[in-house]
């Protein structure tokens, strides 16, 4: 269960506190001794905006808002401050922390609490020893503020819960989370939020002629799945549904085009992060009862070199009827996403957004600091997406989608190749997918930020749940 955030009107004398100040706020009286107040003032004058006082029974921390920052940058600074302060409370084995909004800035109080809660995530399922000692103790964050609504806190709790769930799915090893189990987990997740879920199994996938998904699955002893999740509340604002598509490759060896670089397979259990993102975002949307009709499609399999694995040189007939010359079996995500994007046509969607750990090229281009995006959606929609990303600091780097990139996908023997060559790999992957759509479309390559090798503030280490918060923010404004 995720760390709980609640509103409160007061706090106990033994409660550990965080005092949220701005440059005009004074310290509340009666909490600190004269020496403690002098120490805090000294630290603040030295531009140290986080100060912690240990009063033995409790900790009292002070965070002063960074006056050099505004808007989204200020909110991000608060999230990072929340994560930084969290460590002090966990080290002192505190279970409950009260955030006192002295400054009266409700949005920054929520952001600080969000950073604490997201930074508190742990994945200790497979630890046989030391789990109790390592476990974080903070379980409850209370906010005392007249500027924060109960509805905002409820929504934030749903978002944090969804991010936790996405991270856990990504962190699970393939020894547990094969395609069948992944779909079962998504079904349980969806039904707990009132989402209609249908899981298509191999026979149904064959009858639909999803050639891309079936080709990738040929080398696996495990069957593929195709999960359909639909949230359609009464009074939905949109007449035509939004469709989210998520790559669900539960493990990627590269297939017969075996991944060549050192350690490149070590974390390939994360290759289903796109599927986790769209499913968990839909979970949060449903739990928050946002008035929007949204569908999520998650094709799932592993990609292995065994058995009857598809090979470089094969020609695959996709669900759309188009043919693809396979020149690299490690370009597998686009094969199964293409079938899902074609399937999405049946909904006559308002907009389709796919999320995938698709290319090393995207990660190489911008690192873990944002999401590579591109597509055919209107400039208005793109602007809304970028603004949503800025607000939660899941930022977008839009790549060009020029027609000339299509030339790189030309095949001598089929309608297209599944790779475009040594340059512009992230873009040619997106252009490949575009060939299977006839609706407004955006592609999000999360290969850089979906999995982190080292700890990065409240995003943590390993699975990050990247994209969940941006999607909830986007759909909150529909």
């Amino acid at each position: 269960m995720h760390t709980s955030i609640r509103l409160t009107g007061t706090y106990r004398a033994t409660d550990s506190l965080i005092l949220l100040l701005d440059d005009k706020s004074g310290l509340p009286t009666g909490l600190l001794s004269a020496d403690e107040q002098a120490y805090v003032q000294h630290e603040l004058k030295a531009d140290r905006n986080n100060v912690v006082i240990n009063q033995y029974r409790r900790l009292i921390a002070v965070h002063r808002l960074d006056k050099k920052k505004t808007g989204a940058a200020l909110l991000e600074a608060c999230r990072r401050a929340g994560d930084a302060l969290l460590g002090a409370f966990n080290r002192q084995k505190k279970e409950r922390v009260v955030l006192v909004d002295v400054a009266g800035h409700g949005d920054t109080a929520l952001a600080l609490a969000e950073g604490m809660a997201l930074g508190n995530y742990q994945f200790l399922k497979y630890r046989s020893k030391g789990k109790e000692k390592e476990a974080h103790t903070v379980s409850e964050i209370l906010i005392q503020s007249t500027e924060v609504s109960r509805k905002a806190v409820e929504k934030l709790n749903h978002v944090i819960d969804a991010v936790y769930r996405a991270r856990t799915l990504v962190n699970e090893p393939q020894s547990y989370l094969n395609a069948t189990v992944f779909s079962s987990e998504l079904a349980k997740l969806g039904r707990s939020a009132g989402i209609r879920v249908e899981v298509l199994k191999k026979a149904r996938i064959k009858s639909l002629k999803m050639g891309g998904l079936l080709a990738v699955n040929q080398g696996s002893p495990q069957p593929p799945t195709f999960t359909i999740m639909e949230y359609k509340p009464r009074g939905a604002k949109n007449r035509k549904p939004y469709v989210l598509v998520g790559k669900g490759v539960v493990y990627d060896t590269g297939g017969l085009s075996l991944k060549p670089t050192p350690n490149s397979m070590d974390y390939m259990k994360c290759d289903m992060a796109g599927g986790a993102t769209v499913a968990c975002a839909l979970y949060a949307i449903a739990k928050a009862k946002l008035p929007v009709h949204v569908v999520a499609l998650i094709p799932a399999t592993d990609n292995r070199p065994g058995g009857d694995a598809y090979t470089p040189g094969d020609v695959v007939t996709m669900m759309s009827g188009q043919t693809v010359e396979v020149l690299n079996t490690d370009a597998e995500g686009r094969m199964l996403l293409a079938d899902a994007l074609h399937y999405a046509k049946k909904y006559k969607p308002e907009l389709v957004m796919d999320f995938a750990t698709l290319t090393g090229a995207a990660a190489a281009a911008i690192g873990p600091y944002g999401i590579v995006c591109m597509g055919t959606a209107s400039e208005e929609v793109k602007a809304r997406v970028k603004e949503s990303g800025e607000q939660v600091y899941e930022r977008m780097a839009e790549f060009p989608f020029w027609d000339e990139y299509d030339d790189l996908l030309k095949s001598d023997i089929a309608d297209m190749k599944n790779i475009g060559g040594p340059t512009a790999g992230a873009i040619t992957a997106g252009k490949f997918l575009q060939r299977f759509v006839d609706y407004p479309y955006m592609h999000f390559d999360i290969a850089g930020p979906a999995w982190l090798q080292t700890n990065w503030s409240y995003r943590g280490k390993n699975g990050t749940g990247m994209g969940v918060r941006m999607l909830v923010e986007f759909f909150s404004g529909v």
Side-chain angles (χ1 to χ4, degrees):
M1 184 62 185
H2 76 272
T3 308
S4 173
I5 301 174
R6 293 193 295 112
L7 282 177
T8 185
T10 185
Y11 52 84
R12 302 186 295 238
T14 54
D15 280 335
S16 290
L17 307 177
I18 298 176
L19 308 177
L20 179 60
L21 313 177
D22 60 19
D23 58 342
K24 299 175 183 176
S25 305
L27 290 167
T29 58
L31 294 176
L32 302 174
S33 69
D35 286 344
E36 289 169 341
Q37 288 194 51
Y39 172 71
V40 170
Q41 294 293 357
H42 175 271
E43 294 296 287
L44 294 178
K45 283 180 181 177
D47 281 336
R48 287 185 275 272
N49 290 331
N50 280 352
V51 187
V52 180
I53 300 289
N54 189 339
Q55 294 185 335
Y56 301 106
R57 284 194 309 166
R58 64 179 179 180
L59 297 181
I60 295 184
V62 175
H63 175 68
R64 182 180 60 188
L65 299 175
D66 188 340
K67 61 184 177 183
K68 298 175 184 176
K69 292 184 174 12
T70 59
L74 177 60
L75 297 180
E76 178 65 3
C78 289
R79 294 185 196 102
R80 295 191 184 197
D83 175 71
L85 291 170
L86 172 73
F89 296 105
N90 277 322
R91 284 190 294 272
Q92 294 297 321
K93 304 299 181 186
K94 305 302 180 184
E95 297 179 2
R96 169 180 159 124
V97 180
V98 181
L99 171 56
V100 183
D101 181 18
V102 181
H105 299 299
D107 56 347
T108 56
L110 281 169
L112 199 145
E114 180 183 22
M116 289 183 70
L118 290 173
N120 210 34
Y121 172 84
Q122 290 180 293
F123 185 69
L124 300 175
K125 176 179 175 181
Y126 295 99
R127 295 290 178 87
S128 61
K129 296 180 181 178
K131 187 184 298 188
E132 294 78 12
K133 187 176 180 181
E134 287 186 62
H136 292 162
T137 55
V138 173
S139 60
E140 192 175 28
I141 301 165
L142 287 81
I143 302 175
Q144 185 187 52
S145 175
T146 58
E147 304 301 316
V148 175
S149 70
R150 192 169 303 278
K151 185 176 181 180
V153 171
E154 287 176 357
K155 179 184 170 187
L156 180 57
N157 272 310
H158 295 318
V159 171
I160 291 163
D161 184 17
V163 173
Y164 271 42
R165 291 171 185 270
R167 288 176 179 179
T168 294
L169 286 169
V170 174
N171 288 333
E172 284 283 6
Q174 191 274 337
S175 54
Y176 169 73
L177 200 77
N178 59 32
T180 300
V181 173
F182 186 30
S183 292
S184 175
E185 292 287 346
L186 297 183
K188 288 189 289 185
L189 175 79
R191 287 168 187 149
S192 70
I195 297 167
R196 188 181 70 81
V197 182
E198 182 182 8
V199 177
L200 308 185
K201 298 189 177 177
K202 190 170 185 178
R204 179 68 174 136
I205 292 168
K206 280 186 173 180
S207 72
L208 290 170
K209 300 181 179 178
M210 292 185 174
L213 176 54
L214 291 166
V216 177
N217 180 251
Q218 282 176 201
S220 173
Q222 301 288 338
T225 61
F226 190 92
T227 303
I228 304 162
M229 307 173 73
E230 184 169 11
Y231 170 63
K232 189 178 182 180
R234 291 182 179 178
K237 291 182 177 180
N238 51 316
R239 185 176 56 84
K240 297 189 293 184
Y242 290 88
V243 178
L244 306 176
V245 176
K247 176 183 172 183
V249 176
V250 294
Y251 190 80
D252 182 22
T253 67
L256 287 174
S257 302
L258 202 65
K259 291 184 180 293
T261 54
N263 311 120
S264 58
M265 252 189 270
D266 294 358
Y267 55 92
M268 278 296 103
K269 65 181 184 179
C270 79
D271 216 17
M272 38 56 69
T277 290
V278 301
C280 292
L282 188 58
Y283 168 84
I285 289 164
K287 293 290 280 187
K289 296 182 169 56
L290 299 184
V292 59
H293 179 193
V294 187
V295 175
L297 307 175
I298 301 102
T301 181
D302 51 344
N303 182 30
R304 293 181 183 266
D308 193 26
Y310 79 134
T311 69
D314 280 357
V315 175
V316 175
T317 302
M318 310 294 280
M319 184 184 182
S320 67
Q322 298 176 88
T323 56
V324 175
E325 181 186 9
V326 176
L327 294 184
N328 189 327
T329 63
D330 195 23
E332 87 298 333
R334 66 200 70 182
M335 299 291 288
L336 50 95
L337 287 173
D339 284 340
L341 291 170
H342 180 75
Y343 186 90
K345 292 178 181 179
K346 67 177 283 188
Y347 295 100
K348 303 187 186 313
E350 179 76 25
L351 173 70
V352 173
M353 308 162 82
D354 82 61
F355 285 75
T357 48
L358 204 61
T359 66
I366 67 168
Y369 305 110
I371 298 171
V372 166
C373 73
M374 61 197 81
T376 62
S378 69
E379 292 304 313
E380 179 188 356
V381 168
K382 288 180 181 178
R384 283 175 44 217
V385 166
K386 290 175 185 176
E387 176 59 26
S388 298
E390 284 290 333
Q391 282 298 112
V392 299
Y393 232 66
E394 296 185 344
R395 295 168 295 177
M396 303 292 145
E398 185 181 359
F399 278 19
F401 220 42
W402 301 324
D403 293 341
E404 286 80 0
Y405 291 111
D406 279 306
D407 295 338
L408 300 176
L409 294 169
K410 288 181 178 177
S411 166
D412 291 335
I413 64 170
D415 295 329
M416 70 196 84
K417 302 181 296 187
N418 79 326
I419 56 172
T423 60
I427 299 171
T428 53
K431 294 300 286 186
F432 177 91
L433 295 173
Q434 186 191 3
R435 294 183 177 216
F436 299 87
V437 309
D438 64 358
Y439 39 68
Y441 167 65
M442 287 199 74
H443 164 57
F444 300 86
D445 195 328
I446 58 173
W451 178 272
L452 298 177
Q453 300 281 25
T454 56
N455 189 69
W456 183 19
S457 186
Y458 64 87
R459 291 172 178 83
K461 183 181 178 182
N462 300 333
T464 63
M466 178 62 71
V468 171
R469 293 163 56 240
M470 183 277 285
L471 282 169
V472 177
E473 182 72 17
F474 175 79
F475 285 111
S476 295
V478 168

